[in-house]
Amino acid sequence: MSTIENVNCLIIGSGPAGYTAAIYAARADMKPVMYQGMQPGGQLTTTNEVENFPGYPDGVTGPEMMIQLEAQAKRFNTDIRFGFVNKVDFSGSIHKCWTEDGKEIHANTVIISTGASAKYLGLESEQKYLKLGGGVSACAVCDGFFYRGQETVIVGAGDSACEEAHYLSKLCTKVTMLVRRDEFRASKIMADRVKNTPNIEILYNTDTLEVLGDGQVVTGVHVKNSKTGEEKTISCTGFFVAIGHQPNTEIFKDFIDLDETGYIKYAQPGTSKTNVAGVFVAGDAADKTYRQAITAAGTGCMAALDAERYLSALGH
Ligand code: NDP
């Protein structure tokens, strides 16, 4: 028979939102338990240099920042566990959660900080080479190294795509950027950076039709100009996708109010409260606007303070 563990404050997810919530909850003696999730440290572990987080005048790498946040949460005795929560039942006053290894946890408060994950185009050929590990990636910083001295293609026109294209341009002989409209979505400074990089070629109005390969690894991409109808093949060994993110909220959808794109809705603006009393949200799981480490950290702080006040009001 499986035993039930009672937890005062369960934090699901370990990005800047989760770790900041953990630091505040631990210092308030809430004895938080954190499940790190499928990607411990979250999306910042796939970023290179973070230059816009206050307090790091010389910048810091994403992975290094997450190591420091984890150490800070541990310093106040956060119980940090490797593993993930894959089912919840928030229908009663005790919030029930199950981990992937079958453990049942009953939590007085839950802080959802599950973040968001990279989106893919959804082409069969893209998914095939992604699963084979044969040249499709959604993270230039993680995988760019493998394509040193080679030619790569990246799809997307937001800040992420620009950042990744620029990163790849330092490793690869040539980077072709596929932009589906005739303009960038990225901020001007980021777009200008790629436009001014000699070994980045930008193809506007260009859709990806198929990722080509030899059955094992990527060899090129077949594209079409949506204005002229012209089709062509671009040779490359790496195909990078940087077209945005999907919030990791699927397991909550039967209990927590989500918007039409899957982001968690705040029940009360200016707080971290969800529609379920005792369940709070922080970070990108509820943020499709700002999506920054600093905003995630800020909402993590709010969630821990809201959880603490909720427990106090119950007399805990
Ligand atoms: P965005 O949603 O901003 O951009 C996604 C891009 O992908 C858009 O250009 C979009 O095209 C394109 N796209 C979406 N679907 C497809 C498709 N099926 N085929 C081709 N292209 C597609 O996501 P990002 O991840 O770039 O950025 C998310 C947020 O994070 C933003 O707010 C951004 O500013 C921020 N950010 C900030 C950074 C920084 O300041 N250093 C670094 C990285 C991100 P279209 O424009 O036509 O819709």
Side-chain angles (χ1 to χ4, degrees):
M1 205 183 78
S2 71
T3 51
I4 294 169
E5 181 183 8
N6 293 300
V7 165
N8 202 31
C9 176
L10 180 68
I11 299 171
I12 308 176
S14 60
Y19 281 130
T20 305
I23 292 162
Y24 273 78
R27 294 185 79 255
D29 208 21
M30 290 162 68
K31 306 199 166 32
V33 172
M34 170 190 280
Y35 274 84
Q36 287 184 305
M38 302 234 221
Q39 190 177 30
Q43 291 178 77
L44 271 185
T45 57
T46 66
T47 314
N48 192 21
E49 198 73 7
V50 179
E51 294 182 330
N52 50 13
F53 200 96
Y56 294 95
D58 301 320
V60 60
T61 69
E64 176 62 22
M65 185 199 267
M66 299 321 297
I67 289 166
Q68 291 181 0
L69 281 173
E70 181 176 345
Q72 196 173 351
K74 277 187 176 155
R75 180 179 154 207
F76 302 109
N77 299 323
T78 304
D79 182 346
I80 297 175
R81 300 175 186 177
F82 185 72
F84 60 94
V85 171
N86 64 0
K87 189 180 148 194
V88 300
D89 178 352
F90 292 159
S91 57
S93 59
I94 288 292
H95 311 103
K96 298 178 181 172
C97 301
W98 288 265
T99 63
E100 92 284 5
D101 54 4
K103 191 177 181 66
E104 183 171 343
I105 295 173
H106 289 187
N108 291 330
T109 58
V110 175
I111 295 175
I112 299 171
S113 48
T114 46
S117 299
K119 280 186 192 167
Y120 289 90
L121 296 175
L123 297 170
E124 202 180 307
S125 53
E126 169 205 58
Q127 291 303 306
K128 175 180 159 184
Y129 288 103
L130 174 67
K131 288 193 183 98
L132 283 170
V136 173
S137 168
C139 178
V141 175
C142 319
D143 300 323
F145 184 76
F146 301 119
Y147 305 97
R148 276 172 307 160
Q150 300 168 42
E151 296 190 3
T152 52
V153 170
I154 183 163
V155 57
D159 282 330
S160 300
C162 290
E163 197 174 68
E164 304 217 342
H166 190 249
Y167 181 83
L168 288 172
S169 73
K170 291 185 260 172
L171 296 168
C172 305
T173 49
K174 185 180 175 193
V175 180
T176 306
M177 200 167 181
L178 309 180
V179 175
R180 70 175 170 182
R181 290 184 293 135
D182 58 4
E183 62 177 355
F184 278 85
R185 176 176 295 274
S187 54
K188 190 174 178 308
I189 187 171
M190 300 291 274
D192 283 348
R193 191 179 292 175
V194 297
K195 287 177 191 171
N196 293 330
T197 303
N199 65 337
I200 299 178
E201 182 183 5
I202 302 162
L203 301 181
Y204 293 98
N205 302 307
T206 300
D207 295 320
T208 309
L209 297 181
E210 192 183 355
V211 179
L212 307 170
D214 64 3
Q216 294 297 318
V217 295
V218 169
T219 55
V221 184
H222 193 57
V223 301
K224 181 178 181 177
N225 184 304
S226 55
K227 284 262 162 74
T228 64
E230 185 203 344
E231 294 185 20
K232 67 174 177 179
T233 295
I234 306 163
S235 288
C236 68
T237 49
F239 180 68
F240 289 86
V241 186
I243 61 167
H245 293 84
Q246 179 71 37
N248 298 318
T249 55
E250 176 70 18
I251 61 166
F252 307 111
K253 70 177 191 309
D254 292 339
F255 304 97
I256 299 287
D257 290 344
L258 308 178
D259 73 8
E260 64 290 347
T261 49
Y263 286 88
I264 292 176
K265 287 203 233 174
Y266 286 111
Q268 207 180 315
T271 75
S272 65
K273 292 176 186 172
T274 69
N275 58 301
V276 176
V279 178
F280 306 89
V281 62
D284 286 10
D287 177 12
K288 59 180 168 189
T289 309
Y290 301 105
R291 298 191 266 212
Q292 300 300 301
I294 187 67
T295 49
T299 53
C301 161
M302 289 165 66
L305 293 178
D306 287 340
E308 201 266 328
R309 285 168 195 163
Y310 169 84
L311 289 171
S312 295
L314 292 180
H316 285 264

